[in-house]
């Protein structure tokens, strides 16, 4: 019975590889929209080696990401989506991450500065802040 349930779950869940590919493709589009440097992109992805990063960028379909990187991608995609909801003008949503912010979480710095702290917790904090602004769970 348990094996049948696991098999059914496996058929309905996207594969690890499929999530890696989709997440990287979305990330590189977001990085373009936000005007991120290579170094900024690398920090947001958890500081992979340069050769690994460029392999991911040139051939995302070959990537098989670690759980930490997938988690980071999930938060970044959530941040991007929340900004699109809060600021429907794409240029305003994309510019927000680099603008100084007086909210206590940012202390006058930008959300990108906070996210570049390098910890998953920094991404979580920005995501929760935006979710709270939307009236969602914080």
């Amino acid at each position: 019975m348990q094996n049948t349930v696991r098999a059914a779950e496996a058929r309905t869940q996207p594969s690890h590889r499929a999530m890696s590919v989709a997440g990287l493709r979305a990330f590189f589009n977001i990085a373009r929209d936000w005007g991120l440097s290579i170094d900024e992109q690398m920090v947001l992805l958890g500081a992979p080696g340069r050769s690994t990063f460029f392999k991911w960028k040139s051939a995302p379909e070959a990537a098989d990401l670690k759980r930490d990187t997938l988690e980071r991608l999930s938060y970044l995609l959530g941040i991007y989506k929340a900004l699109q909801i809060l600021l429907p003008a794409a240029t305003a949503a994309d510019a927000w991450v680099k603008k100084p912010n007086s909210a206590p979480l940012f202390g006058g710095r930008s959300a990108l500065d906070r996210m570049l702290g390098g910890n998953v917790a920094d991404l979580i904090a920005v995501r929760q802040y935006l979710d709270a602004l939307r009236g969602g769970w914080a």
Side-chain angles (χ1 to χ4, degrees):
M1 172 73 172
Q2 196 173 21
N3 288 338
T4 305
V5 171
R6 284 191 183 137
E9 288 175 354
R11 285 192 301 273
T12 59
Q13 298 285 329
S15 73
H16 185 88
R17 171 89 36 142
M19 289 188 303
S20 296
V21 173
L24 283 175
R25 286 184 176 151
F27 172 77
F28 289 123
N29 286 331
I30 291 168
R32 179 201 61 223
D33 292 349
W34 289 354
L36 301 179
S37 71
I38 296 298
D39 288 338
E40 290 169 335
Q41 292 175 53
M42 290 177 65
V43 170
L44 293 176
L45 289 172
R50 287 187 84 75
S51 63
T52 299
F53 172 82
F54 286 107
K55 283 179 192 172
W56 290 349
K57 191 168 175 98
S58 67
E61 65 282 352
D64 192 14
L65 303 177
K66 293 180 183 173
R67 185 181 184 124
D68 174 73
T69 306
L70 286 172
E71 183 179 3
R72 289 169 175 278
L73 289 171
S74 174
Y75 288 119
L76 289 161
L77 272 60
I79 290 165
Y80 184 82
K81 179 181 176 184
L83 287 170
Q84 299 301 310
I85 292 168
L86 289 166
L87 303 165
T91 55
D94 294 338
W96 183 87
V97 295
K98 289 188 173 182
K99 290 187 175 186
N101 194 315
S102 62
L105 175 66
F106 306 112
R109 297 178 20 214
S110 71
L112 180 60
D113 289 334
R114 175 65 192 252
M115 291 188 287
L116 290 174
N119 298 309
V120 173
D122 296 313
L123 301 175
I124 293 169
V126 174
R127 170 76 188 268
Q128 288 178 333
Y129 172 80
L130 292 170
D131 285 348
L133 286 180
R134 291 190 312 122
W137 272 68

